[in-house]
Amino acid sequence: MATLCLPYQLSPEQTEKLDTIIQRHRPLQKRDVLIHNGEPLKFLYAVRSGSLKSYTLDSQGSEQIIDFHLPGDVIGFDGLIDGNHRSYTQALETTMLCEIPIQSLDQLSAELPGLRKQMLRLMSGELHASKTLLGTLNHHSAQQRLANFLVTLSSRFQQRGLSSRSFRLSMTRADIGNYLGLSVETVSRILTQLQQEGVLAVQNKLVEITEPERLRALAA
Amino acid sequence: MATLCLPYQLSPEQTEKLDTIIQRHRPLQKRDVLIHNGEPLKFLYAVRSGSLKSYTLDSQGSEQIIDFHLPGDVIGFDGLIDGNHRSYTQALETTMLCEIPIQSLDQLSAELPGLRKQMLRLMSGELHASKTLLGTLNHHSAQQRLANFLVTLSSRFQQRGLSSRSFRLSMTRADIGNYLGLSVETVSRILTQLQQEGVLAVQNKLVEITEPERLRALAA
DNA sequence: ACGAATCGTTGATTTAAGTCAAAGTGACTT
DNA sequence: AAGTCACTTTGACTTAAATCAACGATTCGT
């Protein structure tokens, strides 16, 4: 169970201990909301399959997507600041999760330095990704942003043992635009443009990156 | 020493233990670079006085500012992912720091749950700030971004016991623009515009927020 | 299996912010 | 104290991407 949920370099003994605190969560259906803004943080969630988006609502009640979660990701770190979740998290498709009780995790991490390090590494990685994205969005054109988004997705899929060349976008064009600070129309236009240039082939949700090198060059 | 560097809710006993591992760092002059991208991460740094900026360099060698650090901030969390710093960090003015050896901190945090929690809280807070900023930048106009920047700065100063109404911008307009994804000219124009509207008064690096309420409203 | 609703594409037009250019201001150096 | 350099402001013009609008294509729910 622990290996499925937190597939990281831990010793068998450590894995066994982790197993005792991790629970399987009921599966989520598309559009189910896992986490509501402001809720007390009791668990972290590890994604086993499927995908989710995290978002906040601004003063006018409109969504601001701040993250997409894929299998292997851990959800909830940003709530550790005061023990409350700081965003909504919603399933983009049928999704399986593990839940990890914060309190047990904290206790366990006192005796397992490897686990402690792993948690720090996960948070640090998220922090780094988030700051990198900031730089990306601030200084790049719509095409560069989208290229970067696709390259990042692609490498995340690869890290998880899936194909980096062809995959399914579980989020809508509107979600992508929202996340990248672009309008739906712009996202759509750029996708067709990239397709015309032969960099990739899109068919609805399915993307095949035909020339990864060129896409990576565009993302720079 | 520890109270100066990490002024958080720790017991006297905990503070004493922290004291044994924290060192004073030599003062930095304006433009001194504290951290180079790729360097192994040996210490975290806590800002005692002064300020710094963190940035990455893109493929064309141009700066992408990802953070400003004020007194009380801890620098270096994003490097925990693999033990290497992921950015450059440079002093914006004469700056005093404490250095905290990572390894001792990790050992100490095994026996002090409060310290562990504090570290998680700091990282989580940074993560949250970074994600919030992402949302802000993606979905707001130049004026809203700048207003938001000033409001955030203002409240950070307040948290540190300084005036929230008038303060000095240790970074240049170019730095602000870079951070917010705006051109220098736009930053300048919006500052004069806000001044004309009576929301604030700017004189060179000095800012006085005359109508905090209106500024906050603009930041929304 | 059907209609409704959501999602995606494409075209025409508008606009916010970037770029280019130049002058003004302040601040460090010798 | 003068000159240089870096920073800031202001104006004119351009442009990338948003908005508005309309129409296909999928997906969803009954």
Side-chain angles (χ1 to χ4, degrees):
Chain A
M1 190 69 185
T3 34
L4 275 172
C5 293
L6 292 168
Y8 311 115
Q9 321 90 311
L10 292 174
S11 72
E13 175 214 13
Q14 290 171 333
T15 304
E16 199 184 322
K17 284 195 174 172
L18 249 185
D19 253 340
T20 63
I21 67 164
I22 292 182
Q23 295 293 317
R24 190 178 276 113
H25 188 276
R26 69 172 175 74
L28 296 178
Q29 297 306 311
K30 187 170 177 176
R31 262 170 269 248
D32 281 357
V33 177
L34 172 67
I35 292 167
H36 289 260
N37 188 18
E39 276 178 354
L41 175 78
K42 300 243 169 61
F43 307 97
L44 296 179
Y45 298 96
V47 183
R48 291 219 290 153
S49 67
S51 57
L52 311 93
K53 64 175 174 183
S54 287
Y55 56 93
T56 55
L57 296 178
D58 68 16
S59 45
Q60 288 98 60
S62 64
E63 228 175 86
Q64 308 204 335
I65 299 178
I66 51 180
D67 235 332
F68 294 110
H69 307 284
L70 304 182
D73 288 343
V74 176
I75 300 170
F77 288 124
D78 65 342
L80 291 174
I81 185 175
D82 66 350
N84 292 304
H85 287 291
R86 309 314 296 259
S87 53
Y88 299 86
T89 299
Q90 186 181 35
L92 295 170
E93 58 193 314
T94 303
T95 295
M96 308 281 275
L97 301 160
C98 299
E99 63 181 30
I100 308 158
I102 292 281
Q103 216 190 340
S104 323
L105 186 67
D106 183 54
Q107 285 162 6
L108 198 54
S109 73
E111 41 176 313
L112 299 180
L115 180 61
R116 201 161 63 238
K117 205 158 275 180
Q118 191 57 258
M119 286 298 119
L120 285 177
R121 209 173 287 146
L122 278 174
M123 282 185 80
S124 167
E126 221 181 294
L127 187 56
H128 181 242
S130 165
K131 292 194 168 179
T132 303
L133 184 63
L134 243 177
T136 304
L137 295 186
N138 263 344
H139 298 273
H140 294 78
S141 68
Q143 195 190 50
Q144 290 172 316
R145 293 184 201 193
L146 192 53
N148 186 80
F149 175 72
L150 292 172
V151 168
T152 304
L153 259 194
S154 164
S155 80
R156 287 171 76 188
F157 283 123
Q158 187 167 38
Q159 279 168 31
R160 284 150 182 80
L162 303 167
S163 168
S164 66
R165 300 202 75 206
S166 70
F167 45 84
R168 205 181 138 271
L169 300 171
S170 57
M171 65 294 286
T172 67
R173 305 286 194 268
D175 285 340
I176 297 174
N178 186 305
Y179 181 63
L180 296 176
L182 301 172
S183 67
V184 198
E185 294 93 328
T186 299
V187 172
S188 177
R189 270 188 257 270
I190 290 174
L191 280 176
T192 56
Q193 183 196 323
L194 290 176
Q195 173 150 342
Q196 278 162 6
E197 289 173 6
V199 179
L200 49 77
V202 208
Q203 194 169 47
N204 218 356
K205 301 279 191 186
L206 259 52
V207 175
E208 176 167 12
I209 301 174
T210 45
E211 302 202 26
E213 274 315 319
R214 275 176 70 200
L215 188 65
R216 216 166 297 137
L218 289 174
Chain B
M1 192 67 186
T3 34
L4 275 172
C5 293
L6 292 168
Y8 310 114
Q9 322 88 313
L10 293 174
S11 73
E13 176 215 11
Q14 291 171 332
T15 304
E16 198 184 323
K17 285 196 174 172
L18 249 185
D19 253 340
T20 62
I21 67 164
I22 291 182
Q23 295 293 318
R24 190 178 274 114
H25 188 277
R26 69 171 175 75
L28 295 177
Q29 298 306 313
K30 187 172 177 175
R31 263 169 271 247
D32 282 355
V33 177
L34 173 67
I35 291 168
H36 289 261
N37 187 18
E39 276 178 355
L41 174 78
K42 300 243 169 59
F43 307 97
L44 296 179
Y45 299 96
V47 184
R48 291 220 291 153
S49 67
S51 56
L52 310 94
K53 64 175 172 182
S54 288
Y55 56 93
T56 56
L57 296 178
D58 67 16
S59 44
Q60 289 97 60
S62 65
E63 226 174 87
Q64 307 204 336
I65 299 177
I66 51 179
D67 235 332
F68 294 110
H69 306 283
L70 304 182
D73 288 343
V74 175
I75 300 170
F77 287 125
D78 65 342
L80 291 175
I81 185 175
D82 66 351
N84 292 303
H85 287 290
R86 308 315 297 258
S87 53
Y88 299 85
T89 300
Q90 185 181 35
L92 295 170
E93 59 192 313
T94 303
T95 295
M96 307 282 276
L97 301 160
C98 300
E99 63 181 28
I100 309 157
I102 293 282
Q103 218 190 338
S104 324
L105 186 67
D106 182 53
Q107 286 161 7
L108 198 56
S109 73
E111 43 177 310
L112 300 180
L115 180 61
R116 201 161 64 236
K117 206 159 273 179
Q118 191 58 257
M119 287 298 120
L120 285 177
R121 209 173 285 147
L122 278 174
M123 282 186 79
S124 166
E126 221 180 294
L127 187 57
H128 180 241
S130 166
K131 292 194 168 181
T132 303
L133 183 63
L134 242 177
T136 304
L137 296 185
N138 264 343
H139 297 274
H140 294 77
S141 68
Q143 194 189 52
Q144 289 173 317
R145 293 185 199 192
L146 192 54
N148 186 80
F149 175 73
L150 292 171
V151 167
T152 303
L153 259 193
S154 165
S155 81
R156 286 171 76 187
F157 283 123
Q158 187 167 36
Q159 280 168 30
R160 283 148 182 82
L162 303 167
S163 168
S164 66
R165 298 202 76 206
S166 69
F167 45 84
R168 204 181 139 271
L169 299 172
S170 57
M171 66 295 286
T172 67
R173 306 284 193 270
D175 285 340
I176 298 174
N178 185 305
Y179 181 63
L180 297 177
L182 301 172
S183 68
V184 199
E185 294 94 328
T186 299
V187 172
S188 177
R189 271 187 256 270
I190 289 174
L191 280 177
T192 56
Q193 183 196 325
L194 290 175
Q195 174 150 344
Q196 279 163 5
E197 289 173 7
V199 179
L200 49 78
V202 208
Q203 195 169 47
N204 217 359
K205 301 280 191 188
L206 259 51
V207 175
E208 177 167 12
I209 301 172
T210 44
E211 302 200 28
E213 273 315 319
R214 274 176 71 201
L215 188 65
R216 216 165 297 135
L218 289 174

